[in-house]
Amino acid sequence: MSHDHSHSHAGAAGVRPLAIVLTLTATVFAAELVGAWWTSSLALAADAGHMFVDSMGLVIALAAAVLSRRPRSDKYTWGFVRVEAVSAAFQAGILMVVCVWVAYEAITRFFEPAHVLAPQMAVFGVVGLLANVVGLAILLSHRDQSLNLQAAFLEVLNDALGSIAVLVAAGVIYWTGWAAADPIASLIIACLMGPRAARMFVRAVNVLLEKTPEGLDLQQVREHMMRIEHVIDVHDMHGSTVSTGLVALTAHVTVDPRCYRDGCGPDVLHKLQDCLAEHFPVAVEHCTFQLDTPTHRDHETLTHHT
């Protein structure tokens, strides 16, 4: 039996801001690629590589946002809302690979320094920073709508920090002639990208693995449900995040057999839903409960411990 107060399963949003930021990022990538070739700057090349990966990620994010708006069907019962988690995991995974490559190249540059054209390097750094600031302003009000947009915001933020590192390195090289500033800036960019990308990857994978959402303790949920009149037992409980803002929970609820005779089943369902909506930090948007009799558990084909 199912009791659902909210049937709106909105997917990832923000198609327009993603399209604008993608255009900005792709343009800056092209400019920085030319700048890295012209100035021989590894830091600028690292930032250009980051921009390229971000452009790929934003293409995927844009596709995910469009797909998430498609309606549900009998074949895809949640629609395509979980594409946002796949997109975020893919973007974060590529970012981690780029971090490793940048770190390797930076260490190599310490032993084989290259002559860098600092003034030109600074110009491209300013162009990148300005574009990133515009992108951040566009995404700022949308980033909490989905993992997809959070990943995009994170990438643009890292780009901005990378551009700042490029500018600092250009200044140091110009005023002191210290060539090591370029690979050091590259390492800083890698260190900025790596941990944040790893955290985003873990969050996205947890959604795909249907890990119980943070803040939703299933043992506490079970205890609250057991306090409801006529409820004898709660087992086979599963909680998961379908997409950002959409948490689903299913459970087998054993009720007093007299409920079937007295017709109190609907009242039990309403109380179960209210319990999940009011007592926990995480709002459960979609609940599905199977009401059982005490003898039904003997007919179940799987043994459940929760």
Side-chain angles (χ1 to χ4, degrees):
M1 300 181 70
S2 174
H3 182 59
D4 180 16
H5 281 241
S6 176
H7 294 276
S8 176
H9 306 310
V15 172
R16 188 169 181 271
L18 281 173
I20 295 172
V21 175
L22 171 59
T23 302
L24 286 171
T25 303
T27 302
V28 174
F29 157 68
E32 288 193 341
L33 191 63
V34 173
W37 170 78
W38 185 16
T39 64
S40 299
S41 168
L42 177 61
L44 203 53
D47 208 36
H50 190 192
M51 287 285 189
F52 173 70
V53 173
D54 286 354
S55 297
M56 291 176 55
L58 287 166
V59 169
I60 297 168
L62 186 59
V66 172
L67 285 172
S68 294
R69 292 182 170 187
R70 296 184 63 179
R72 293 176 292 169
S73 67
D74 289 341
K75 288 187 177 180
Y76 298 96
T77 56
W78 288 110
F80 291 86
V81 294
R82 304 199 78 185
V83 172
E84 69 164 21
V86 177
S87 171
F90 186 77
Q91 293 175 62
I94 293 179
L95 278 175
M96 289 189 288
V97 172
V98 170
C99 288
V100 174
W101 175 80
V102 169
Y104 172 79
E105 289 294 324
I107 293 171
T108 302
R109 282 283 183 107
F110 279 114
F111 300 101
E112 299 177 6
H115 177 66
V116 177
L117 302 177
Q120 293 88 336
M121 175 181 172
V123 170
F124 286 102
V126 169
V127 171
L129 181 59
L130 290 176
N132 290 323
V133 168
V134 173
L136 288 172
I138 293 171
L139 291 174
L140 183 62
S141 61
H142 301 277
R143 61 174 177 163
D144 293 329
Q145 294 180 15
S146 72
L147 272 176
N148 207 21
L149 286 166
Q150 287 176 34
F153 181 86
L154 174 61
E155 289 175 344
V156 177
L157 176 60
N158 279 327
D159 279 338
L161 296 174
S163 296
I164 292 172
V166 168
L167 286 171
V168 172
V172 170
I173 294 171
Y174 181 77
W175 292 108
T176 70
W178 189 43
D182 185 52
I184 288 175
S186 304
L187 283 173
I188 290 173
I189 293 172
C191 290
L192 289 171
M193 289 192 291
R196 291 178 175 85
R199 286 194 292 271
M200 178 58 68
F201 183 78
V202 170
R203 288 186 61 191
V205 169
N206 283 341
V207 171
L208 295 174
L209 293 178
E210 299 192 2
K211 179 184 177 183
T212 302
E214 296 295 331
L216 189 65
D217 187 325
L218 292 190
Q219 182 58 38
Q220 291 183 3
V221 172
R222 183 178 183 277
E223 291 173 358
H224 272 269
M225 293 171 68
M226 290 284 291
R227 296 172 192 166
I228 295 174
E229 186 180 7
H230 304 301
V231 174
I232 298 174
D233 184 39
V234 178
H235 60 282
D236 191 14
M237 186 185 300
H238 304 277
S240 62
T241 301
V242 180
S243 64
T244 302
L246 177 56
V247 175
L249 184 140
T250 64
H252 287 208
V253 181
T254 304
V255 296
D256 191 317
R258 288 175 294 180
C259 271
Y260 293 93
R261 183 189 63 199
D262 300 337
C264 63
D267 183 58
V268 171
L269 285 174
H270 282 291
K271 289 180 179 178
L272 288 169
Q273 175 70 36
D274 292 341
C275 173
L276 288 168
E278 298 172 359
H279 294 133
F280 305 100
V282 178
V284 181
E285 293 290 331
H286 185 96
C287 298
T288 302
F289 302 114
Q290 176 174 311
L291 299 186
D292 298 336
T293 62
T295 57
H296 176 76
R297 195 165 184 173
D298 296 333
H299 294 277
E300 294 178 0
T301 57
L302 295 176
T303 301
H304 304 284
H305 301 286
T306 58

